[in-house]
Amino acid sequence: MNRVVNVARMQLINKWTFLGIPAIIMVAAFLVTLAIWAMIPASGETFYSGASQAVMWYFLALGIQSLTLTFPFSQAMSVSRRTFYIGTVGLFATVALAISVLYYLLGLVEVATNGWGFNGQLYALDWIANEHAVVQILFYFIAMVALFMIGFWFATIYKRWQATGMLVTWIAIAVVLIGLLGLTSWQGWWPVVGQWFVAQTPLTVSGWTALFCAVLAGGSYLTLRRATP
């Protein structure tokens, strides 16, 4: 356990990358959104913004940086790949949970202040805000972990097989997606697919995304075991 905690501390040596930038992204997205809303003439309509997602997408970059910036150093310090993996994923799961709770609290403030005084929805989007607090936090948490694991897995692929591995992976993903689209069109499944997407709730989306995260977690760990520092 001490070694896992030490890996987390090692990742936090560069606090600016892993804590400072996410904080700046959240504050900047919030202030820019309020500035835009302030410039729009009041009409009584609800203002919507997806700017709150900005810090979520940064988790994709964090997944890449958490491996490329510290993995070679960890191997030089004789840290096992398993310990590095658990410590890194555990740290960013903790960060994602903290941000998810913050999102929920900001959503409560947003509702209490009538959308920050502009009748706006930045954090308390109806589709999510109408759910139970646990579901809201879980949704944000799983979304950020998924983006982190995507970045982390692609970084492990690059470390293991370099540019060739990345090229093959992207081609394989493109072939699978095109195949699924072609099969859906051929079988006339689009109405059913559309109905399925419409029927999804934040909880079910979180469940499917959690399954996706589990697949990514297993794949990234197996790849990391053979990765070259």
Side-chain angles (χ1 to χ4, degrees), residues 7 10-11 17-18 59-75 80-81 84-85 88-89 92 148-161 166 220-221 223-229:
V7 170
M10 180 182 63
Q11 292 284 8
T17 298
F18 299 114
F59 266 72
L60 183 67
L62 283 179
I64 297 172
Q65 295 180 76
S66 65
L67 181 71
T68 57
L69 294 180
T70 57
F71 179 61
F73 178 73
S74 71
Q75 297 306 285
S80 69
R81 284 169 165 78
F84 175 82
Y85 180 83
T88 299
V89 174
F92 290 101
F148 173 81
M149 293 307 305
I150 290 172
F152 190 85
W153 183 56
F154 275 112
T156 60
I157 291 175
Y158 181 79
K159 282 289 186 181
R160 177 66 179 87
W161 293 289
M166 292 294 293
S220 60
Y221 176 67
T223 307
L224 182 64
R225 293 180 62 184
R226 300 292 183 179
T228 303

Side-chain angles (χ1 to χ4, degrees), residues 3-185:
R3 292 182 179 181
V4 171
V5 173
N6 288 336
V7 170
R9 290 176 177 174
M10 180 182 63
Q11 292 284 8
L12 290 175
I13 290 176
N14 192 349
K15 293 182 175 61
W16 176 255
T17 298
F18 299 114
L19 296 178
I21 292 179
I24 290 177
I25 290 175
M26 287 193 67
V27 173
F30 175 73
L31 295 178
V32 169
T33 299
L34 292 190
I36 293 174
W37 287 348
M39 291 186 289
I40 300 176
S43 60
E45 298 182 357
T46 302
F47 294 148
Y48 298 93
S49 174
S52 61
Q53 301 175 18
V55 73
M56 290 186 177
W57 288 103
Y58 182 65
F59 266 72
L60 183 67
L62 283 179
I64 297 172
Q65 295 180 76
S66 65
L67 181 71
T68 57
L69 294 180
T70 57
F71 179 61
F73 178 73
S74 71
Q75 297 306 285
M77 298 297 293
S78 299
V79 176
S80 69
R81 284 169 165 78
R82 179 176 177 274
T83 300
F84 175 82
Y85 180 83
I86 295 175
T88 299
V89 174
L91 169 65
F92 290 101
T94 302
V95 174
L97 180 60
I99 295 178
S100 300
V101 173
L102 179 59
Y103 267 41
Y104 170 70
L105 295 177
L106 289 173
L108 294 180
V109 175
E110 184 171 280
V111 172
T113 58
N114 188 32
W116 311 103
F118 296 101
N119 193 27
Q121 291 187 14
L122 176 61
Y123 299 103
L125 299 174
D126 287 338
W127 186 68
I128 302 173
N130 293 332
E131 300 290 332
H132 190 275
V134 174
V135 176
Q136 294 183 51
I137 294 172
L138 178 65
F139 178 84
Y140 294 129
F141 172 74
I142 293 296
M144 282 184 276
V145 171
L147 289 170
F148 173 81
M149 293 307 305
I150 290 172
F152 190 85
W153 183 56
F154 275 112
T156 60
I157 291 175
Y158 181 79
K159 282 289 186 181
R160 177 66 179 87
W161 293 289
Q162 301 297 315
T164 301
M166 292 294 293
L167 179 62
V168 172
T169 300
W170 280 113
I171 291 175
I173 292 174
V175 169
V176 171
L177 290 177
I178 292 173
L180 290 175
L181 292 174
L183 179 63
T184 302
S185 298

